[in-house]
Amino acid sequence: KQWYQRRVRGKMIKTTTKGNASPPTLPENVVLLKNEKTGADVYLVGVNHISSQSAATVQEVIQRFKPDTVFLELEENGISDFRKPWPPINPPPVKISNVASLGRTISQYTTYFVSLGVGARPGLEMKVAYDEARKLKSEIVYGERDSDITWKRITRNITYGEVFNTLKHIPTSPIYTALRNWKTQSGDEIRNNLLSTGITSTNLESEEHKIVLPGMRKPFLEERDLYLASGLRECKGKIVVGVVGLAHLQGIRQHLNDKEDAIEIKKKLNEIPPHTLFSATAVPLVGSVAVLTPTIMTVGVLKGGLRLYGIKEIKRGLPKACFWLTTGALVGLEFMGLSAQILKNIYGLHYKLWNNFHKNN
């Protein structure tokens, strides 16, 4: 409780917002919209999901305007994650059954390490909004689309070309730049690097993302803008506070008063498209490459070694069986060594950030 209260302290930043609908002294990244269907005033708070300042802004807005309904960019029962201690002793579990779950796992690990590095619990602003709504006895609406559906629609909308184009940009990405030298840096140095790169800001609106990931951007950002706006449009009460990611502000403002039925929109956006070449083959292809590459290398090394001893080919029977048993054993050892190295790096980075988090908090 003490940590939670400490993280949301801080002075509000006042700014003047242009437009007829907005009062002159709303906090930064807060806009006032009018729901034409219900006549409600909708205070839309754009947040950074790993910023304690966003949590303070959410708290200020809800206490100031006392909404009838608080709308959260969370899945149904998503607040349950906040009942778990933070930071956890271990990183998030890895559960990969298809290419969608692979994308979700990468996203979870990225958010986890960045939030741990900068010293802020991810989604703290949602916990603050939930607590403040409970105090006021406001209705709480969970308006986010199921993440499984989002990731399935992403994997069915991108192509191998986009994936390869994205991989080319990884070495110059802010997260990679900030974390690549973690072994030789202190926890404070990693934290400062993360903060200085600006990766705590949502930048899906950037021209780079539009070029590099056009297939991902539509289901991940534009469709969710529409989904969230449809949910907000159905909220009850005269005053509504919506807490959403900063990147969704523009899209929600554009779609809040769309005339299309919200139920039909959500039904359409919850449909799972048929498999594409990428979604159907990515995981098997990666798995095949992971198995075949060390196998081919091992076979080549063993055959080369046999030729050194004058054995031109492997004959039938026991020698052939021994050859393939040896190949399988060496391939298994290679996989074990690679897996151990990956896990060692993940847990090494995790504990350095974890210890630094507790030192500063």
Side-chain angles (χ1 to χ4, degrees):
K1 185 176 181 181
Q2 291 178 347
W3 177 81
Y4 158 75
Q5 290 174 343
R6 181 164 66 250
R7 298 309 301 170
V8 299
R9 282 208 305 264
K11 296 181 180 180
M12 296 301 303
I13 301 175
K14 301 294 182 181
T15 187
T16 300
T17 308
K18 296 181 181 180
N20 296 329
S22 299
T25 57
L26 284 177
E28 187 177 25
N29 296 325
V30 179
V31 295
L32 173 58
L33 308 175
K34 177 66 73 172
N35 186 339
E36 296 176 359
K37 180 178 179 179
T38 64
D41 290 333
V42 179
Y43 291 91
L44 198 58
V45 186
V47 299
N48 184 327
H49 293 306
I50 46 176
S51 166
S52 56
Q53 179 59 48
S54 287
T57 301
V58 168
Q59 186 178 51
E60 162 76 9
V61 171
I62 294 178
Q63 289 180 352
R64 179 178 169 187
F65 297 108
K66 297 177 173 50
D68 302 299
T69 299
V70 174
F71 178 92
L72 304 179
E73 186 200 330
L74 282 179
E75 298 173 45
E76 192 71 32
N77 299 321
I79 208 70
S80 61
D81 288 340
F82 289 94
R83 299 191 180 99
K84 303 172 184 177
W86 175 264
I89 296 175
N90 295 310
V94 178
K95 298 179 181 179
I96 300 173
S97 57
N98 51 45
V99 69
S101 60
L102 174 62
R104 185 170 59 252
T105 299
I106 293 173
S107 177
Q108 288 173 344
Y109 264 81
T110 301
T111 301
Y112 175 74
F113 279 125
V114 172
S115 60
L116 197 59
V118 301
R121 181 170 188 160
L124 177 61
E125 74 287 344
M126 299 295 174
K127 175 67 166 63
V128 172
Y130 176 84
D131 289 343
E132 294 299 326
R134 290 283 299 273
K135 291 176 186 177
L136 295 172
K137 297 182 179 180
S138 303
E139 181 180 357
I140 299 173
V141 175
Y142 300 97
E144 177 64 289
R145 180 171 65 181
D146 188 312
S147 61
D148 285 339
I149 295 175
T150 296
W151 279 104
K152 286 178 180 178
R153 289 181 67 90
I154 287 173
T155 57
R156 286 157 171 76
N157 200 52
I158 59 178
T159 64
Y160 275 109
E162 289 182 17
V163 172
F164 293 139
N165 195 28
T166 303
L167 291 175
K168 290 191 300 184
H169 287 74
I170 288 179
T172 59
S173 67
I175 294 176
Y176 181 85
T177 302
L179 295 179
R180 63 184 172 185
N181 297 320
W182 70 269
K183 289 184 178 180
T184 58
Q185 294 177 335
S186 67
D188 286 333
E189 288 175 326
I190 294 174
R191 181 177 185 274
N192 292 334
N193 286 342
L194 288 170
L195 291 172
S196 65
T197 57
I199 52 93
T200 55
S201 299
T202 307
N203 59 354
L204 280 171
E205 286 293 336
S206 69
E207 291 302 318
E208 180 183 357
H209 276 83
K210 292 178 182 179
I211 296 171
V212 176
L213 282 173
M216 181 177 179
R217 189 176 178 277
K218 181 180 178 181
F220 193 75
L221 181 65
E222 295 172 4
E223 288 184 0
R224 289 170 63 219
D225 289 347
L226 189 56
Y227 196 93
L228 293 168
S230 300
L232 268 170
R233 191 160 62 248
E234 299 301 309
C235 287
K236 301 175 182 177
K238 295 181 179 179
I239 299 177
V240 176
V241 169
V243 183
V244 300
L246 189 58
H248 294 297
L249 278 184
Q250 182 177 349
I252 292 175
R253 293 179 73 170
Q254 179 181 348
H255 294 293
L256 179 62
N257 292 305
D258 285 354
K259 302 305 179 184
E260 189 175 352
D261 182 69
I263 296 177
E264 289 300 318
I265 291 175
K266 288 186 174 183
K267 182 179 178 180
K268 187 186 304 181
L269 293 177
N270 278 323
E271 293 176 353
I272 307 298
H275 274 293
T276 61
L277 177 64
F278 174 79
S279 64
T281 63
V283 170
L285 180 62
V286 171
S288 299
V289 171
V291 171
L292 289 175
T293 300
T295 302
I296 293 171
M297 291 174 64
T298 304
V299 169
V301 169
L302 286 178
K303 284 193 172 184
L306 291 173
R307 288 192 179 94
L308 288 176
Y309 289 94
I311 302 175
K312 299 296 183 183
E313 61 182 25
I314 303 170
K315 299 184 178 181
R316 297 178 182 274
L318 186 61
K320 191 171 185 178
C322 290
F323 174 81
W324 286 112
L325 283 172
T326 305
T327 299
L330 289 175
V331 170
L333 287 173
E334 286 187 45
F335 270 116
M336 289 174 62
L338 179 61
S339 299
Q341 187 64 34
I342 292 172
L343 289 173
K344 180 181 177 182
N345 279 280
I346 289 175
Y347 278 89
L349 174 59
H350 166 254
Y351 278 111
K352 178 171 282 189
L353 296 177
W354 193 82
N355 291 329
N356 190 66
F357 178 90
H358 282 286
K359 184 184 75 173
N360 292 322
N361 294 280

